[in-house]
C-alpha cells in the first residue's frame, strides 16, 4: 500500500517553542533577578518515569529554567505525598510543580494532584485547571492536549465544524483534549473501552486522536480517507496507539512516534512554567 500521509513534525515546532520560552526565561531573570523554577516529584523508581523526569529536567536546564527534584521512596503514602506537594505550593521559590504519573497503585493521585496550587499547576492536572480550560478561562492546559492543539494550529488544521473523535478518556489526556477541541468548535465524540463498533465511529472522524494506551490499536480500517490522525500513544520500541504504516495509506496528516506529540508536550510544559513564573513574579 502506498503512503499518502504528510508527517506532522513535532520536533521542529517544539524546538522553536522552547527557544521562545528560553528567551522569555532569560528576560524574566534579568528583570526580576529570579529564574523560573519547576519542581518535579517522583514516587518510587519506575525506570520509564525516572527517564521522563530526567529528560524534562534536562530540557529545563537548556531553557534557563531551574529544576528542583524530589525523589520519594516507593513506600510514600498519599498523606506524605500531599504534604510534600503542599509545601512546594507554599514555597515562593517554586513556580511550577510536576508530579510524575503514575505515582503508584497505592497513591490517591487525584488527592495528590489537588494539592498543587492552581497557579503552579503547569502540567494542567488539577480540577481547577480542567474547569478553566473547558470554559476558556485563564489557566493551564494539560500539557499533551495543549501541545496537540499547537501542532494542529501549526499545520493549519481548521477544526470548526469538523468531527473530532477521541479514543480514550483519561483525566490528563483524553478528556482534556476533547474539551480543547470543543472549544475550537469541533463536534467531539469520545470513545473508550466500552464503545461498541468502534470502527463505525472512528471512520467518520475528520480528526482522530488516539489516546487509548494500547500499541497499534487503531489501523487503516478505523480511519476515514483524508483524516488528520494524532497518535498520543507511546510504547516500548517507538510504537504508538496507531499502526503507523497502514494509517499512512488513509490519513492526510499524521503524527509520527517518536517525534510528533511527545516533543510538543515538553515544549508546552516549559512554556507554561515560564508563564507561571512571570505571573507569580508579577513581571511585565
Amino acid at each position: 500500500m502506498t503512503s499518502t500521509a504528510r508527517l506532522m513534525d513535532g520536533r521542529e515546532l517544539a524546538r522553536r517553542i522552547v527557544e521562545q520560552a528560553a528567551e522569555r526565561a532569560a528576560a524574566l531573570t534579568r528583570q526580576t533577578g529570579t529564574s523560573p523554577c519547576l519542581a518535579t516529584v517522583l514516587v518510587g523508581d519506575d525506570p520509564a518515569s525516572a527517564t521522563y523526569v530526567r529528560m524534562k529536567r534536562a530540557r529545563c536546564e537548556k531553557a534557563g529554567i531551574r529544576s528542583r527534584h524530589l525523589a520519594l521512596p516507593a513506600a510514600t503514602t498519599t498523606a506524605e505525598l500531599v504534604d510534600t506537594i503542599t509545601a512546594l505550593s507554599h514555597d515562593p521559590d517554586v513556580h511550577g510543580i510536576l508530579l510524575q504519573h503514575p505515582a503508584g497503585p497505592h497513591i490517591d493521585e487525584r488527592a495528590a494532584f489537588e494539592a498543587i496550587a492552581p497557579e503552579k499547576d503547569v502540567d494542567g492536572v488539577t480540577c481547577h485547571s480542567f474547569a478553566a480550560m473547558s470554559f476558556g478561562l485563564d489557566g493551564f492546559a494539560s500539557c499533551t492536549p495543549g501541545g496537540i492543539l499547537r501542532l494542529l494550529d501549526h499545520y493549519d488544521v481548521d477544526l470548526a465544524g469538523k468531527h473530532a473523535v477521541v479514543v480514550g478518556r483519561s483525566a490528563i489526556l483524553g478528556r482534556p483534549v476533547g474539551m480543547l477541541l470543543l472549544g475550537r468548535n469541533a463536534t467531539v465524540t469520545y470513545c473508550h473501552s466500552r464503545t461498541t463498533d468502534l470502527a463505525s465511529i472512528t471512520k467518520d472522524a475528520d480528526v482522530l486522536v488516539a489516546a487509548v494506551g494500547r500499541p497499534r490499536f487503531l489501523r487503516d480500517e478505523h480511519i476515514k480517507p483524508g483524516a488528520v490522525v494524532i497518535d498520543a500513544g507511546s510504547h516500548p520500541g517507538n510504537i504508538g496507539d496507531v499502526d503507523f504504516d497502514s494509517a499512512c495509506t488513509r490519513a492526510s496528516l499524521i503524527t509520527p512516534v517518536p517525534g510528533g506529540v511527545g516533543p510538543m508536550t515538553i515544549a508546552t510544559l516549559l512554556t507554561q512554567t515560564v508563564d507561571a513564573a512571570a505571573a507569580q513574579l508579577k513581571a511585565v
Side-chain angles (χ1 to χ4, degrees):
M1 293 183 285
T2 304
S3 174
T4 60
R6 184 161 61 105
L7 293 185
M8 303 175 75
D9 180 9
R11 287 192 175 114
E12 177 58 24
L13 177 58
R15 183 187 64 77
R16 296 183 210 167
I17 293 172
V18 171
E19 283 181 353
Q20 293 169 358
E23 290 171 0
R24 292 177 56 222
L28 186 62
T29 303
R30 288 192 300 270
Q31 181 182 351
T32 66
T34 301
S35 300
C37 177
L38 174 68
T40 56
V41 181
L42 176 65
V43 179
D45 55 2
D46 176 73
S49 293
T51 297
Y52 288 142
V53 169
R54 280 197 302 271
M55 181 170 56
K56 290 167 184 174
R57 295 185 68 205
R59 297 291 174 82
C60 280
E61 183 178 352
K62 288 183 178 179
I65 297 171
R66 288 179 295 131
S67 176
R68 183 191 298 183
H69 182 55
L70 285 81
L72 304 179
T76 298
T77 65
T78 296
E80 290 168 337
L81 179 57
V82 166
D83 286 346
T84 296
I85 293 173
T86 300
L88 291 172
S89 289
H90 291 146
D91 186 343
D93 194 47
V94 171
H95 306 113
I97 301 170
L98 169 72
L99 171 60
Q100 182 61 41
H101 168 87
H106 66 294
I107 294 288
D108 181 347
E109 282 195 348
R110 180 45 50 197
F113 284 147
E114 293 309 314
I116 300 173
E119 68 271 16
K120 299 187 180 185
D121 181 23
V122 294
D123 202 24
V125 295
T126 64
C127 290
H128 179 280
S129 293
F130 183 85
M133 178 198 65
S134 298
F135 287 106
L137 304 176
D138 289 340
F140 296 114
S142 298
C143 285
T144 297
I148 288 171
L149 265 290
R150 283 178 165 89
L151 197 56
L152 289 167
D153 286 344
H154 180 70
Y155 281 89
D156 296 321
V157 177
D158 182 9
L159 295 168
K162 299 299 193 301
H163 184 198
V165 174
V166 180
V167 186
R169 53 178 172 175
S170 71
I172 59 176
L173 178 49
R175 296 188 191 205
V177 77
M179 297 309 295
L180 288 176
L181 291 166
L182 183 65
R184 295 294 189 86
N185 296 316
T187 299
V188 180
T189 300
Y190 286 98
C191 296
H192 45 78
S193 59
R194 297 191 181 183
T195 299
T196 58
D197 197 6
L198 178 67
S200 68
I201 300 172
T202 60
K203 282 193 298 186
D204 188 51
D206 301 303
V207 178
L208 178 62
V209 180
V212 68
R214 295 175 61 180
R216 292 177 174 153
F217 181 72
L218 298 175
R219 301 180 53 84
D220 53 350
E221 62 264 27
H222 293 96
I223 299 169
K224 175 182 179 179
V228 176
V229 177
I230 303 294
D231 189 346
S234 179
H235 307 279
N238 292 330
I239 296 169
D241 287 354
V242 175
D243 183 71
F244 183 78
D245 290 340
S246 67
C248 281
T249 65
R250 286 182 169 260
S252 60
L253 287 167
I254 189 170
T255 57
V257 177
V261 171
M264 295 300 300
T265 298
I266 295 177
T268 302
L269 174 67
L270 299 187
T271 295
Q272 295 190 158
T273 299
V274 177
D275 291 340
Q280 290 164 53
L281 295 169
K282 295 181 171 54
V284 178

